[in-house]
Amino acid sequence: MRPLRLDMAGFTVFRTETTVDFTDADFFALVGPTGSGKSSILDAICFALYGVVPRWGSSRGIASALAPSATEARVRLVFESAGSRYVATRVVRRDARGAVKTGNAGLQLMPPGFDVTRLDTGMSPDDLGEVLAGSPAEMDRAVLDAVGLPYEQFTTCVLLPQGRFADFLHAKPATRQQILVNLLGLDVYERIRERATARAATAEAAMAAVDHLLGGLTDADEAAVDAAHQRLAAVRGLVDTVAAVLPQLARAQQAVTEADARLAGIDGELDLLTALRPPDAVTAVADEVAAARDAAAVAGHEVSAAEEREDKIRAELAAAGDPTALRLLLRAHTERDRLAADAAALAPAVATAQAEHDAGVTALRSARAGATDADAALDRARQAYQEAQSGDRAAALRRHLVAGADCPVCAQPVSVVPALPDGSRLAQAEAAGHAARATADQARHRVAEAEQALRAVERALDQARARDEQLTARLAELDAQLAGSPGADALRAELDALERAQRAVDDAGTAVRRARDAARATQRGVLAAEQRLQAAWREFDATRDAVARLGPPAADRDDLTGAWARLAGWAAAQLAARRGERVDAQAALDAARRAAADTGAHVDEMFVAAGEVPPAGRQDDRPAPDPTTPASTTPDPAAYRQAVALALQRAQAEHSRVSERFTQAGELRQRRIGHERDAQTARALAGHLRANNFERWLLAEALDLLVEGGSRILRELSSGQYELVHDKGEFFVVDHHDAGLRRGVRTLSGGETFQASLALALALSEQLSGMSSTAASLESIVLDEGFGSLDAATLDTVAATLEGLAARGDRMVGLVTHVPALAERVPVRFEVSKDARTARVRRSGL
């Protein structure tokens, strides 16, 4: 399996649409800060294929696929496997209750040569190729068929998850043995044993079925075959004899057929001639056509006369004058009389409006003068009120003055205190002021009323004057238009004369239309009569055509009655002649039938002599019309030919059946021998595979090859210091720098453990395709480990090993690392970064 393109959205830290393009990335590294999402890219690859990720565990399951606060996660992986290109898709959704479920899962086989960059154009799933799986349940089988590895083997040989790098190295022997069984598919031998047992049972059941069939073939011996062969030879002789006689029978039958056809032809002609008789209404149809044509001619003359009278009256009306001009002059007279009356009635109204206007002007002047006097009186009342206020204030102050003391207002000594007034004048002045204000308000109101009344009078006067001017102008126009007019009464007299003439024209037009309607009705009568005549001719033609082959006389197309009379006379003469011919034809048919019956009886004797039943089928002739001639049957050559063919088929079928049963019995005996041999072989194989020695030998061989390959890689990684060995399923490391000391793998340091685990992982990946019975397509390996525990020299060796593995070109090599020195040696780097919203991937390098 080799990834080509990965699309993610809403998956773990990748909230937004993110694409990782692995095209031409034979050796790549995922780099970036801790927690940026490097391992999530590998999780997405594993999730797209298998729907599960190693580091999620079983506590949260697929809920881990959703980015925080996201409701949907989508992953799409395009990959190659064994030369074919696939696309795997999984969609996870969170419903309204918070439950997370797989909403969609599918695997499609893409068309050959499909350009992965076309996915950026928004293609629909239907465009991606053949659907291999359309649900999560179908995905497991489809992915296993495409990749060749189940989930456990995939995460051990192709994608090595973080934190599980050394699982295989530190596993117990029994666990490691089970892993190898799963990886190498050794359970296939158990399935072989089960199939061998089932095959033995099937073979034994087949033997029993063959024995049952042989019990039903006891009569399939050589004597039965000989009897069938003799019967077939006898029937073949009958075939040859009948074939020689059948031409004679066919000629006799042909004679019967021809005689019968001649008699049938004469009978048909007799039927036609008997049925030929003229229709009852032939003469009436011709008379109707003549009467209809005469009526149409009369109606045509009446139309011409009506049209001439209409033309004459219309000419007289056109010479009488134009009624429109006369009506316009009469309308002008009527309008002038009405407008003159309106002008006479308008003069008093204008005078009245003028008088009302003059009165209104006088009333407005009077009201304005009264308002001026009222305003002056109001000003005097206000002055008196102010003086009364000042007097009251002085009186109030005077009460506090003391002769010889200083005045509190002017600060001068008071020589004499004036006497106090008898009372206050302020209330009297205030009442006078109120009265003056009321009088002024009333005066202003009278002014406003006078102004409003004057404006209304002015509008009425203006309208009356404008109407008077309009009437005067229109009367002048009408006087000019009516100059030279003969007067209204004369115009009315002329219009009455024109209307009488128009009524005469209308009456003449009505008469023309009635005459035309009558003419059209007569034409329809002519058409209907001619159609009946044509129908009668068609009936005649059909009758004559029916006997045309008998040579009827020609017809005069102008005389239907005469044509029918001539045809009927000819038919009567022909009927007498045909009746004589029929007697001769019946006699010839009877003679032909007797000859054919004699030949058929001879053939029947041949069938009886050969041991076969003669055919019962014969051609049944219709009863002879003549009661004195008996009905008879004639032998049918086809029936004899069919009967002899059926006899031959039966003989051949019986011969074939006996021969086949004889052959079938021999084949069944041979088949029983084969089933017995298969049952013995399958039982022996199942017995051999029932022991565990074979599986243990295969596991030992596989472990030897695995340790040999891992030891070779470990020597390269450790510069010859370490090599890997095993003893009774346990792994040990031999330290050549310490006198070949054998150390258990659990005693290794972190760096040594990494080197041994890497060597074993690479060897496992290299050797699996050769050892596995599943023929897995191991086209890539991805290591999710930090490489931080290695020193510079070992790191250089690891890098060189990975570079060499990638340079072989048979697989993609990928790794996740934090070590800059290692990342710089990788030609293609996917730099993973993360901000507060989402993670991003940027490709750099080659």
Side-chain angles (χ1 to χ4, degrees):
M1 193 284 298
R2 182 188 184 98
L4 298 179
R5 175 186 173 119
L6 177 66
D7 296 294
M8 302 172 287
F11 183 78
T12 61
V13 296
F14 294 95
R15 289 176 178 267
T16 59
E17 294 275 356
T18 303
T19 297
V20 183
D21 186 2
F22 294 103
T23 305
D24 300 329
D26 294 332
F27 187 20
F28 69 89
L30 298 172
V31 299
T34 300
S36 60
K38 300 184 298 298
S39 296
S40 295
I41 295 176
L42 305 185
D43 294 344
I45 294 175
C46 192
F47 180 72
L49 293 173
Y50 299 99
V52 66
V53 173
R55 61 179 183 154
W56 288 353
S58 58
S59 59
R60 293 184 60 201
I62 61 173
S64 303
L66 286 169
S69 74
T71 59
E72 180 180 274
R74 290 181 286 107
V75 179
R76 181 174 63 190
L77 174 67
V78 180
F79 64 94
E80 285 184 349
S81 181
S84 298
R85 186 166 293 184
Y86 303 86
V87 55
T89 306
R90 285 189 190 265
V91 179
V92 175
R93 295 188 180 93
R94 179 184 286 113
D95 59 21
R97 295 187 298 272
V100 179
K101 299 178 181 179
T102 299
N104 184 27
L107 181 69
Q108 293 173 259
L109 176 62
M110 306 179 79
F114 184 89
D115 186 3
V116 178
T117 59
R118 291 176 58 194
L119 295 174
D120 297 323
T121 61
M123 299 178 62
S124 66
D126 296 337
D127 300 328
L128 297 181
E130 177 187 356
V131 177
L132 303 179
S135 66
E138 297 174 353
M139 282 287 284
D140 295 340
R141 181 71 261 174
V143 169
L144 181 60
D145 292 340
V147 178
L149 293 172
Y151 167 72
E152 293 80 6
Q153 297 181 23
F154 182 80
T155 54
T156 304
C157 305
V158 178
L159 193 151
L160 281 64
Q162 191 177 41
R164 296 179 58 183
F165 201 53
D167 284 358
F168 190 76
L169 179 68
H170 291 156
K172 294 180 179 180
T175 303
R176 190 182 299 115
Q177 179 176 338
Q178 186 59 44
I179 292 175
L180 284 177
V181 168
N182 294 335
L183 288 176
L184 300 177
L186 297 184
D187 55 344
V188 67
Y189 298 106
E190 177 61 23
R191 294 195 298 273
I192 291 174
R193 185 191 66 78
E194 294 174 354
R195 288 190 180 182
T197 301
R199 183 167 295 182
T202 301
E204 291 168 352
M207 287 173 56
V210 168
D211 291 340
H212 178 72
L213 292 175
L214 286 173
L217 297 174
T218 56
D219 60 340
D221 52 11
E222 293 182 358
V225 174
D226 292 341
H229 182 71
Q230 293 175 3
R231 176 63 182 161
L232 179 59
V235 173
R236 284 175 176 168
L238 176 64
V239 170
D240 295 338
T241 304
V242 171
V245 178
L246 281 182
Q248 179 182 354
L249 180 61
R251 288 191 296 272
Q253 180 60 40
Q254 180 64 28
V256 171
T257 302
E258 292 174 354
D260 186 64
R262 182 169 178 269
L263 180 61
I266 293 174
D267 288 341
E269 293 173 357
L270 287 172
D271 293 340
L272 291 174
L273 293 171
T274 302
L276 194 153
R277 60 174 57 89
D280 296 334
V282 173
T283 303
V285 170
D287 294 342
E288 288 177 359
V289 172
R293 287 173 178 171
D294 293 341
V298 172
H301 292 310
E302 292 178 353
V303 170
S304 298
E307 289 175 345
E308 290 177 0
R309 183 173 179 276
E310 182 187 19
D311 293 341
K312 179 180 178 181
I313 296 174
R314 287 188 182 277
E316 294 174 354
L317 178 62
D322 185 7
T324 303
L326 297 177
R327 291 191 185 95
L328 290 176
L329 288 175
L330 182 59
R331 194 178 296 118
H333 275 289
T334 303
E335 183 181 1
R336 191 191 182 292
D337 294 343
R338 180 178 57 79
L339 293 180
D342 291 345
L346 184 61
V350 173
T352 301
Q354 184 63 49
E356 291 177 353
H357 178 269
D358 295 342
V361 172
T362 302
L364 179 59
R365 290 197 193 100
S366 175
R368 285 176 177 171
T372 301
D373 294 341
D375 289 340
L378 179 60
D379 291 339
R380 290 192 296 274
R382 288 173 178 168
Q383 182 65 33
Y385 180 75
Q386 292 175 356
E387 291 177 353
Q389 280 183 327
S390 298
D392 284 356
R393 291 191 190 99
L397 181 61
R398 192 178 302 171
R399 289 188 181 92
H400 301 287
L401 294 179
V402 177
D406 293 337
C407 176
V409 178
C410 62
Q412 298 295 326
V414 178
S415 57
V416 177
V417 177
L420 293 173
D422 295 336
S424 174
R425 292 181 296 170
L426 183 61
Q428 183 180 359
E430 184 176 5
H434 287 312
R437 178 177 293 279
T439 301
D441 292 340
Q442 292 175 358
R444 292 191 188 96
H445 181 67
R446 285 193 293 275
V447 170
E449 290 179 343
E451 290 176 345
Q452 184 177 1
L454 180 60
R455 285 193 294 272
V457 171
E458 287 177 344
R459 286 194 297 271
L461 179 61
D462 292 340
Q463 292 174 355
R465 288 173 176 172
R467 177 60 178 161
D468 184 61
E469 292 174 357
Q470 292 175 353
L471 292 174
T472 302
R474 180 58 181 161
L475 286 171
E477 293 176 358
L478 292 173
D479 289 340
Q481 181 180 354
L482 295 174
S485 172
D489 294 337
L491 291 173
R492 291 189 186 93
E494 292 182 15
L495 284 173
D496 291 340
L498 288 174
E499 288 177 356
R500 288 192 296 274
Q502 182 62 48
R503 285 195 294 273
V505 170
D506 295 340
D507 293 341
T510 302
V512 170
R513 287 191 295 274
R514 289 174 179 170
R516 288 173 179 170
D517 290 342
R520 283 192 288 270
T522 58
Q523 288 295 333
R524 288 194 293 271
V526 171
L527 180 61
E530 290 179 345
Q531 288 176 347
R532 288 192 292 275
L533 179 61
Q534 292 173 2
W537 274 112
R538 285 194 296 272
E539 183 180 359
F540 173 83
D541 292 338
T543 303
R544 186 180 183 280
D545 291 343
V547 296
R549 57 190 176 85
L550 304 180
D556 182 3
R557 303 303 294 185
D558 296 329
D559 185 5
L560 178 62
T561 303
W564 268 112
R566 285 189 295 276
L567 183 61
W570 169 85
Q574 292 293 322
L575 187 60
R578 292 297 189 279
R579 285 172 178 165
E581 293 176 0
R582 188 187 188 287
V583 174
D584 297 338
Q586 181 65 54
L589 176 61
D590 294 341
R593 283 176 175 166
R594 286 192 295 272
D598 293 343
T599 305
H602 177 60
V603 177
D604 289 345
E605 293 173 357
M606 294 179 183
F607 271 84
V608 174
E612 292 291 335
V613 178
R618 290 176 180 266
Q619 289 184 335
D620 293 331
D621 290 341
R622 57 182 173 79
D626 188 357
T628 62
T629 304
S632 62
T633 59
T634 58
D636 183 8
Y640 286 105
R641 189 178 295 109
Q642 181 180 9
V644 75
L646 291 175
L648 179 60
Q649 290 178 0
R650 288 193 297 270
Q652 290 174 339
E654 179 63 17
H655 182 270
S656 298
R657 186 186 69 82
V658 174
S659 299
E660 289 175 359
R661 286 171 60 82
F662 181 74
T663 303
Q664 183 182 7
E667 292 175 350
L668 287 174
R669 296 185 185 93
Q670 294 298 321
R671 193 183 305 172
R672 188 187 187 286
I673 294 172
H675 289 324
E676 184 176 10
R677 182 176 59 252
D678 292 343
Q680 293 173 353
T681 302
R683 287 293 182 191
L685 178 60
H688 291 308
L689 293 179
R690 188 172 288 111
N692 296 326
N693 294 332
F694 183 66
E695 181 178 304
R696 284 197 296 269
W697 176 80
L698 287 176
L699 287 173
E701 289 293 317
L703 192 60
D704 289 342
L705 291 174
L706 181 62
V707 171
E708 180 182 351
S711 183
R712 174 181 52 80
I713 297 174
L714 182 59
R715 284 196 300 271
E716 295 176 0
L717 293 175
S718 63
S719 300
Q721 180 176 357
Y722 301 113
E723 68 178 38
L724 192 65
V725 297
H726 75 98
D727 184 12
K728 297 180 180 178
E730 291 285 354
F731 283 163
F732 297 92
V733 171
V734 177
D735 188 352
H736 292 289
H737 290 187
D738 193 6
L741 178 65
R742 176 182 289 190
R743 299 166 54 189
V745 292
R746 293 187 178 277
T747 65
L748 302 177
S749 64
E752 293 169 341
T753 299
F754 179 84
Q755 290 180 353
S757 299
L758 177 61
L760 198 58
L762 294 177
L764 187 63
S765 178
E766 287 180 350
Q767 299 295 331
L768 183 62
S769 60
M771 294 188 296
S772 175
S773 62
T774 60
S777 178
L778 300 179
E779 299 172 271
S780 60
I781 181 171
V782 183
L783 309 176
D784 188 1
E785 197 67 25
F787 301 93
S789 60
L790 305 179
D791 55 31
T794 304
L795 184 63
D796 182 71
T797 303
V798 170
T801 302
L802 295 176
E803 289 171 348
L805 185 63
R808 289 164 50 182
D810 58 348
R811 75 186 62 196
M812 170 190 287
V813 177
L815 54 92
V816 179
T817 183
H818 298 280
V819 181
L822 180 58
E824 291 173 356
R825 296 185 61 169
V826 179
V828 178
R829 294 180 295 278
F830 294 98
E831 299 176 0
V832 185
S833 60
K834 180 183 175 185
D835 55 22
R837 184 169 179 269
T838 186
R840 294 177 174 81
V841 180
R842 184 177 68 88
R843 178 170 172 166
S844 63
L846 298 178

